[in-house]
Amino acid sequence: MNKPIHSISPFTLLDYPDKTACILWFAGCNMRCVYCYNPGIVLGKGTQSYADALAFLSRRKALLDGVVLSGGECTLHKGLPDFCRQLKAEGWLVKVDTNGSNPGMMADLLTHGLIDYVALDYKAPAGKYFAVTQSSLYTKFEETLELLMRGDVKFEIRTTVHADLLHEEDLQAMVDDLGLRGFEGSLFIQHFINDTITLGKLEGTRKRIDPGRVKHHCIELIVRN
């Protein structure tokens, strides 16, 4: 039996804006971000099937509004559209957390109305993308971003910042890029979580970027932690 799901967080008030939700953590990823603090999920195997997840959700209908599909990278799993169809048929709101590396899958989900909200990771500007992600998937990210900007599904863009990897000038380059694409909204900043094991074995840091040093008239930087 296919078991794509590594684990389930049964309740969150933080991961789906204004909704109660659970998180399904999908195993595996096609990036190796050096700051990643989920190496067990990225490198590990799944332990639960889609049927297991649906059975869990059937017991949570009185408590939850939606389901967050995270990882790892959930869009790598070919069965995701059918699973989302089942979720929607049962009345769940569906949010996808993605690195944007599979625009074909995203187009399928968007075209068929299978998701309600997307959180897209903007990992780094083009010149630093490989250094941060250990992948050459920036153009795929761009394609996913363009799909979301042309679509009707609500989405957010977010960036994890470790002070040894990204600086204010990098965020400025990212904001400028979004502005040139016609994006108007917020770029959410999540600082690196200290005291945790990472894929790249990064040292902890207490440094924080100063969003006031990054300027754009139609894009706001919002720091979440």
Side-chain angles (χ1 to χ4, degrees), residues 110-175:
L110 294 172
T111 299
H112 294 95
L114 300 177
I115 51 179
D116 302 284
Y117 195 95
V118 177
L120 175 65
D121 292 325
Y122 194 164
K123 302 286 189 178
K128 280 193 171 181
Y129 205 81
F130 183 84
V132 171
T133 69
Q134 302 297 294
S135 77
S136 300
L137 293 165
Y138 183 78
T139 57
K140 296 296 185 183
F141 157 78
E142 289 183 296
E143 290 178 41
T144 298
L145 174 58
E146 293 299 322
L147 280 171
L148 291 170
M149 289 184 61
R150 294 197 305 266
D152 298 322
V153 170
K154 292 182 179 180
F155 72 99
E156 67 179 53
I157 304 173
R158 61 190 189 180
T159 299
T160 297
V161 174
H162 188 293
D164 291 344
L165 300 173
L166 296 179
H167 310 111
E168 281 91 351
E169 56 266 33
D170 299 310
L171 293 173
Q172 185 68 64
M174 295 159 74
V175 165

Side-chain angles (χ1 to χ4, degrees), residues 57-219:
L57 288 166
S58 71
R59 303 189 295 269
R60 306 287 288 180
K61 286 196 171 182
L63 299 173
L64 303 176
D65 301 313
V67 182
V68 178
L69 310 180
S70 193
E73 177 54 39
C74 65
T75 67
L76 297 180
H77 295 271
K78 294 180 180 179
L80 191 68
D82 285 340
F83 180 55
C84 288
R85 286 186 181 89
Q86 291 177 286
L87 293 174
K88 297 302 296 175
E90 295 188 8
W92 295 104
L93 295 171
V94 179
K95 173 178 178 272
V96 166
D97 293 347
T98 181
N99 60 25
S101 63
N102 194 344
M105 173 68 78
M106 184 59 64
D108 189 5
L109 297 172
L110 294 172
T111 299
H112 294 95
L114 300 177
I115 51 179
D116 302 284
Y117 195 95
V118 177
L120 175 65
D121 292 325
Y122 194 164
K123 302 286 189 178
K128 280 193 171 181
Y129 205 81
F130 183 84
V132 171
T133 69
Q134 302 297 294
S135 77
S136 300
L137 293 165
Y138 183 78
T139 57
K140 296 296 185 183
F141 157 78
E142 289 183 296
E143 290 178 41
T144 298
L145 174 58
E146 293 299 322
L147 280 171
L148 291 170
M149 289 184 61
R150 294 197 305 266
D152 298 322
V153 170
K154 292 182 179 180
F155 72 99
E156 67 179 53
I157 304 173
R158 61 190 189 180
T159 299
T160 297
V161 174
H162 188 293
D164 291 344
L165 300 173
L166 296 179
H167 310 111
E168 281 91 351
E169 56 266 33
D170 299 310
L171 293 173
Q172 185 68 64
M174 295 159 74
V175 165
D176 290 344
D177 172 60
L178 290 171
L180 287 173
R181 296 175 189 275
F183 176 77
E184 296 184 5
S186 300
L187 174 61
F188 292 94
I189 301 301
Q190 303 168 167
H191 284 108
F192 172 78
I193 297 175
N194 284 292
D195 307 318
T196 188
I197 297 172
T198 64
L199 277 175
K201 298 187 171 81
L202 282 179
E203 295 292 331
T205 179
R206 302 295 171 185
K207 294 179 183 178
R208 295 289 185 267
I209 61 99
D210 179 4
R213 294 177 59 188
V214 182
K215 305 295 184 183
H216 197 283
H217 69 279
C218 62
I219 298 173

Side-chain angles (χ1 to χ4, degrees), residues 12-29:
T12 177
L13 290 171
L14 301 176
D15 293 84
Y16 197 136
D18 303 316
K19 305 295 181 185
T20 58
C22 69
I23 308 173
L24 306 185
W25 300 96
F26 281 72
C29 189

